[in-house]
Amino acid sequence: INLPERDGHVWHGYVPGLRPGQKYGYRVHGPYNPQEGHRFNPNKLLIDPYAKRLTGKPIMHDALFGYRATHADADLSFDRRDSAPYMPRSVVIDPSFTWGDDRPLRRPMTETVIYEAHVKGLTAQRPDIADRGTWLAMASDPILDHLNDLGVTAIELLPAQAFVDDRFLVDRKLTNYWGYMTYGFFAPEPRYMRDGDIGEFQQMVARFHQAGIEVILDVVYNHTAEGNELGPTLSFRGLDNAAYYRLADDRRYYINDAGTGNVLNMDSPFTLRLVMDSLRYWVEVMHVDGFRFDLCSVLGRTRGVFDRDGPFFRAIRQDPVLNRVKLIAEPWDIGQGGYQLGAYPAPFGEWNDRFRDNVRGFWKGDPGLIGKMAKRIAGSAARFDHDGRPATSSVNFVAAHDGFTLMDT
């Protein structure tokens, strides 16, 4: 079905008769000229970036790639194999849910105790829980009782948006456990569903709220699962590679400030709108209470340089939905000038790795840390006491997924 209308660079159309449950995908025609930043290939079935549900995950196969891997300059070649047999489908859904009297808890940061958790890691080996490894298991009575006993007021879920098992892992018969390879910014990860219904995620959120616990999502908007020029063509690359990604001067290649092969281009209004629409969707439709932004310095880069007043931060700060939820930055990336602890604007909080390191050292008896501990307990003022930011701008954490556990400290 051709999209018949065009406004600027956006093609659109109306297809009558579609109902919830309809599966679909996109094929996009255009120039395949990697050296100019264009990688259109209509042989590749693409996921809708705005899809609210996906039928599963891509099956890693050579047909997912826009080029022939045997070619001397591999990514300059053109692959005509159809990727449809190996791609999941986007699904039309009705996102309505009976929320009853569910309301945002809006607990102040001064009273917030965050527990980072992984859906499978927290539930898969609990024989007393039904539907282990799913959203429904996360909000089961044993888990809620455990969190309440600990005094937890907010659960921060490792990536909940649809993600990919990288080929690097698949070739080694492994899977992507953490989930930091997102390719569906609106769709809950299918492997955490029991029956493939997004209502399972909404039910989980409602149960957490009933227990007095907020839900924060760890979101990965800095890069996507498509990787560098040798990665698969799943969605963004085939829709408009040059708009969605920050490209090098030689536009065949990608800027890689995230260390994963690519970064999203927040200078593009369409990319920025996608991220903002996604965030609002999770707040308004899925009722989450906040976000932890993975490698957030990437999102603050304008023309490659971190700018605390850049387009992403301005968009967040003026948004009447998003400026009222919890916003927590991981305040670094691996690019030049990427370590930006304390540089973020209100209302962002920031993971304070200085607190983590000093507390751990002090706890195990390292010398010379009493003065530093006093500064950390007082809110790390040298970093955060500017522009009227409160002490709670420093999110004081001791353990997270990408470091030693408390047991190993």
Side-chain angles (χ1 to χ4, degrees):
I1 300 172
N2 291 324
L3 296 178
E5 303 294 336
R6 178 178 175 179
D7 290 331
H9 296 289
V10 179
W11 292 87
H12 59 92
Y14 173 72
V15 183
L18 297 188
R19 296 287 184 269
Q22 175 66 52
K23 301 171 185 176
Y24 68 101
Y26 291 140
R27 296 185 189 274
V28 180
H29 297 259
Y32 188 84
N33 187 348
Q35 291 164 317
E36 295 298 325
H38 303 306
R39 295 180 180 269
F40 298 100
N41 188 334
N43 301 290
K44 310 305 168 183
L45 189 72
L46 307 176
I47 290 299
D48 180 1
Y50 280 80
K52 309 304 189 296
R53 183 166 83 83
L54 300 176
T55 57
K57 61 183 180 181
I59 301 170
M60 272 302 154
H61 186 275
D62 287 347
L64 295 183
F65 296 78
Y67 60 88
R68 284 277 182 178
T70 56
H71 194 274
D73 287 313
D75 67 299
L76 299 182
S77 63
F78 186 77
D79 185 86
R80 299 185 182 278
R81 286 171 291 186
D82 187 359
S83 69
Y86 310 99
M87 283 292 291
R89 303 299 190 261
S90 305
V91 184
V92 176
I93 67 161
D94 177 359
S96 60
F97 181 78
T98 304
W99 287 100
D101 60 357
D102 184 76
R103 295 290 184 275
L105 298 179
R106 301 202 188 284
R107 190 183 301 274
M109 284 297 287
T110 52
E111 302 172 8
T112 297
V113 178
I114 299 173
Y115 185 103
E116 186 189 61
H118 185 281
V119 173
K120 183 178 179 181
L122 189 62
T123 66
Q125 296 188 39
R126 290 288 299 264
D128 56 336
I129 297 176
D131 304 312
R132 291 178 291 172
T134 69
W135 309 118
L136 297 177
M138 281 296 294
S140 61
D141 288 339
I143 297 298
L144 295 177
D145 292 342
H146 173 63
L147 296 176
N148 281 322
D149 287 345
L150 291 175
V152 169
T153 68
I155 189 161
E156 181 181 301
L157 297 178
L158 267 70
Q161 298 167 333
F163 59 86
V164 167
D165 291 334
D166 327 31
R167 187 166 200 171
F168 173 84
L169 296 174
V170 173
D171 289 345
R172 289 159 178 77
K173 303 187 185 306
L174 300 171
T175 58
N176 183 345
Y177 179 74
W178 281 356
Y180 289 90
M181 276 295 180
T182 308
Y183 76 118
F185 291 133
F186 291 78
E189 170 51 41
R191 74 189 75 186
Y192 298 149
M193 296 179 182
R194 183 189 65 187
D195 300 321
D197 182 357
I198 71 163
E200 296 173 21
F201 184 95
Q202 294 165 311
Q203 182 178 336
M204 175 194 70
V205 173
R207 288 271 292 161
F208 273 124
H209 287 174
Q210 290 167 7
I213 298 173
E214 293 182 306
V215 178
I216 298 172
L217 298 187
D218 190 340
V219 288
V220 188
Y221 294 109
N222 57 79
H223 71 276
T224 80
E226 291 183 310
N228 63 14
E229 69 277 2
L230 299 178
T233 297
L234 307 173
S235 181
F236 309 97
R237 173 174 285 136
L239 286 164
D240 193 345
N241 183 67
Y244 281 115
Y245 295 119
R246 284 176 50 216
L247 303 180
D249 291 338
D250 181 346
R251 294 173 67 78
R252 175 183 174 184
Y253 301 107
Y254 296 77
I255 300 295
N256 187 23
D257 292 331
T260 55
N262 66 58
V263 291
L264 285 179
N265 178 18
M266 288 298 151
D267 288 326
S268 163
F270 299 106
T271 306
L272 179 60
R273 185 170 71 182
L274 171 77
V275 172
M276 297 297 292
D277 289 346
S278 170
L279 291 168
R280 280 191 295 269
Y281 175 80
W282 288 98
V283 173
E284 295 182 310
V285 177
M286 308 299 256
H287 282 209
V288 304
D289 303 282
F291 305 94
R292 177 266 188 190
F293 294 90
D294 183 64
L295 299 182
C296 195
S297 292
V298 168
L299 305 180
R301 288 184 179 272
T302 299
R303 296 178 177 85
V305 178
F306 181 83
D307 181 359
R308 67 189 307 272
D309 195 35
F312 172 72
F313 296 127
R314 285 192 172 199
I316 289 274
R317 296 172 75 185
Q318 62 80 41
D319 191 283
V321 172
L322 300 178
N323 63 22
R324 300 178 65 188
V325 303
K326 287 182 170 65
L327 303 169
I328 301 171
E330 183 182 33
W332 48 75
D333 62 32
I334 69 166
Q336 185 175 3
Y339 186 78
Q340 293 291 335
L341 180 68
Y344 284 71
F348 277 82
E350 302 175 40
W351 271 21
N352 188 349
D353 61 321
R354 304 293 178 92
F355 181 94
R356 175 199 62 196
D357 296 345
N358 291 162
V359 167
R360 286 172 174 235
F362 181 81
W363 186 258
K364 66 186 181 71
D366 290 354
L369 289 177
I370 292 178
K372 290 182 178 180
M373 275 298 295
K375 294 177 181 179
R376 301 299 163 241
I377 292 172
S380 302
R383 287 279 175 175
F384 294 98
D385 188 12
H386 60 82
D387 293 345
R389 300 181 75 191
T392 50
S393 297
S394 170
V395 177
N396 298 331
F397 73 106
V398 180
H401 64 278
D402 57 357
F404 290 117
T405 66
L406 285 176
M407 183 173 291
D408 294 329
T409 301

